[in-house]
């Protein structure tokens, strides 16, 4: 495996986050889950608990009912090793509320991606609403 070059790393990080968001906007739980490693950890934007395994699937089954879609507003990267990347930044989500209206949620994120066998997967994902 060849590590991404310094000039490729920011593009790769942003692409990985945007591809994940594209899956979230599709509202397809299986597509979203395909981005996570089998032993991933999720601290979701609207989660009450830290999720692992089937808990991640349960979280996204609830989350997609809100018809989420998001857009990256900032993204910073760190390459920890040839196969580990960290993306930190902010995104804004639109979510359907209980009244059928749309709420906008500004959130911050950290993704830790690990490459294995040529595929980058999420090992850890933390997302939380921005403080007001």
């Amino acid at each position: 495996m060849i590590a991404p070059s310094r000039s490729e790393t920011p593009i790769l990080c942003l692409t990985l986050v945007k591809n994940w968001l594209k899956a979230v906007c599709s509202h397809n739980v299986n597509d979203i889950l395909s981005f996570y490693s089998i032993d991933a950890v999720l601290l979701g934007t609207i989660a009450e608990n830290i999720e692992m395994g089937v808990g991640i699937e349960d979280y996204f089954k609830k989350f997609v009912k809100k018809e989420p879609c998001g857009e990256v507003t900032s993204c910073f990267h760190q390459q920890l090793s040839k196969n580990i990347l960290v993306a930190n930044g902010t995104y804004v989500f639109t979510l359907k509320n209980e009244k059928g209206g749309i709420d906008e949620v500004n959130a911050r994120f950290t993704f830790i991606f690990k490459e294995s066998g040529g595929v980058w997967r999420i090992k850890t994902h933390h997302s939380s609403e921005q403080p007001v």
Side-chain angles (χ1 to χ4, degrees):
M1 172 186 48
I2 299 172
S5 70
R6 286 188 182 269
S7 63
E8 293 170 327
T9 301
I11 295 166
L12 176 59
C13 265
L14 184 57
T15 299
L16 291 169
V17 175
K18 284 184 172 183
N19 287 344
W20 175 83
L21 276 170
K22 201 178 297 183
V24 169
C25 292
S26 78
H27 312 143
N28 183 311
V29 173
N30 289 329
D31 286 351
I32 298 167
L33 293 176
S34 72
F35 285 84
Y36 290 84
S37 67
I38 196 151
D39 59 346
V41 175
L42 171 67
L43 291 81
T45 310
I46 62 170
E48 294 180 21
N49 301 305
I50 297 172
E51 305 294 352
M52 294 181 72
V54 72
I56 294 174
E57 182 176 1
D58 292 343
Y59 171 82
F60 281 112
K61 284 180 179 177
K62 293 176 190 169
F63 191 58
V64 298
K65 289 179 181 175
K66 296 180 174 287
E67 300 177 10
C69 199
E71 183 176 318
V72 174
T73 53
S74 70
C75 191
F76 304 91
H77 71 280
Q78 295 173 290
Q79 185 168 351
L80 301 184
S81 70
K82 65 181 180 180
N83 67 334
I84 298 176
L85 297 174
V86 179
N88 292 290
T90 56
Y91 39 34
V92 61
F93 277 104
T94 54
L95 304 171
K96 188 169 90 174
N97 61 35
E98 295 83 29
K99 296 178 183 178
I102 301 294
D103 292 331
E104 198 169 270
V105 178
N106 292 300
R108 52 194 169 186
F109 64 80
T110 297
F111 288 92
I112 299 176
F113 296 98
K114 184 174 182 185
E115 185 273 340
S116 180
V119 178
W120 289 92
R121 298 233 188 268
I122 298 166
K123 293 291 283 181
T124 298
H125 176 195
H126 176 240
S127 179
S128 58
E129 190 169 355
Q130 289 275 43
V132 182

